[in-house]
Amino acid sequence: MAGTDAMINAFTTLLVTVDPPGLAPLFLGLTHGMTRAERRHVAVRGSLIAFAILAVFALFGASILGALGISMGAFRIAGGLMLFAISFEMIFEKRNERKEKTTDAAITKDHIHNLAVFPLAIPLIAGPGAISATVLIAGTMQGVAGTAQLIGVIAVCVALVIAALILAERLNRFLGVTGRALLTRLLGVLLSALSVQFVVDGIKSAFGD
């Protein structure tokens, strides 16, 4: 069973990479013209699909890496660098620009009924950063109890995503442009520190203490 520090680290990493407050304005743009009930349906369905994806990687991510001959140490280094790149984008406001481009492209290509799957579930909620973070954290969990705890953490993060999407209009008005920018930068700094720790742990694992 994972300790309190490990659980807090797992929750913080996943919450920052998923970024529920940052998804709120993008969700509003994505569901423009929908009724409140339709938005709620898309938010819940997309979040549940994202939860299933992250849970699968929490359960089988290490096995997939083993089948490909990739050590956990190597993946921690690669995943840490990827998360650091995401934190860099968050600090300098590049991540939302990239997500907005993804959203705009999806509106023109996909029917509105598929929005819950793409781009909401993938890649806005369960994106490369969240998937990488899930596999990295799963590698630090011990046994069935640790994996169950991680899935519980994923469930809590997804529940916060659902809440943020359902309350998107209010959250967007409450934070405003300045509030969103400040929150995103603070989370980006936190994620950068966590990503460096993943790289350090990966180097220790790959080359020995």
Side-chain angles (χ1 to χ4, degrees), residues 20-40 43 160-177 180:
L23 288 174
L26 299 178
F27 178 72
L28 289 176
L30 188 66
T31 57
H32 179 71
M34 288 188 183
T35 64
R36 182 172 297 179
E38 288 171 336
R39 278 181 172 164
R40 180 170 298 184
L160 291 174
V161 169
I162 293 175
L165 297 184
I166 290 176
L167 300 173
E169 290 185 39
R170 295 179 185 177
L171 186 62
N172 196 39
R173 286 197 301 268
F174 174 75
L175 290 176
V177 176
R180 288 198 308 271

Side-chain angles (χ1 to χ4, degrees), residues 47-200:
S47 298
L48 291 178
I49 292 171
F51 170 77
I53 293 168
L54 295 177
V56 166
F57 276 94
L59 290 169
F60 306 111
S63 300
I64 294 171
L65 293 179
L68 295 173
I70 301 172
S71 70
M72 184 55 67
F75 190 82
R76 282 175 182 164
I77 295 172
L81 293 174
M82 178 181 291
L83 293 178
F84 186 82
I86 292 174
S87 70
F88 184 87
E89 291 181 340
M90 291 174 71
I91 293 170
F92 294 99
E93 283 195 323
K94 300 295 183 183
R95 194 182 189 204
N96 275 352
E97 291 177 12
R98 176 168 52 81
K99 282 187 174 182
E100 285 167 2
K101 289 179 182 178
T102 302
T103 302
D104 292 340
I107 291 173
T108 60
K109 293 178 182 178
D110 288 80
H111 192 271
I112 194 170
H113 295 301
N114 296 324
L115 293 180
V117 179
F118 178 85
L120 185 57
I122 306 173
L124 293 181
I125 301 175
I131 291 173
S132 299
T134 299
V135 178
L136 286 171
I137 296 166
T140 66
M141 296 296 178
Q142 301 296 323
V144 176
T147 302
Q149 285 178 306
L150 174 57
I151 292 176
V153 169
I154 294 171
V156 172
C157 289
V158 170
L160 291 174
V161 169
I162 293 175
L165 297 184
I166 290 176
L167 300 173
E169 290 185 39
R170 295 179 185 177
L171 186 62
N172 196 39
R173 286 197 301 268
F174 174 75
L175 290 176
V177 176
T178 303
R180 288 198 308 271
L182 178 60
L183 183 60
T184 298
R185 282 175 169 80
L186 288 174
L187 293 176
V189 171
L190 184 59
L191 181 59
S192 66
L194 290 168
S195 65
V196 170
Q197 187 61 53
F198 277 127
V199 173
V200 171

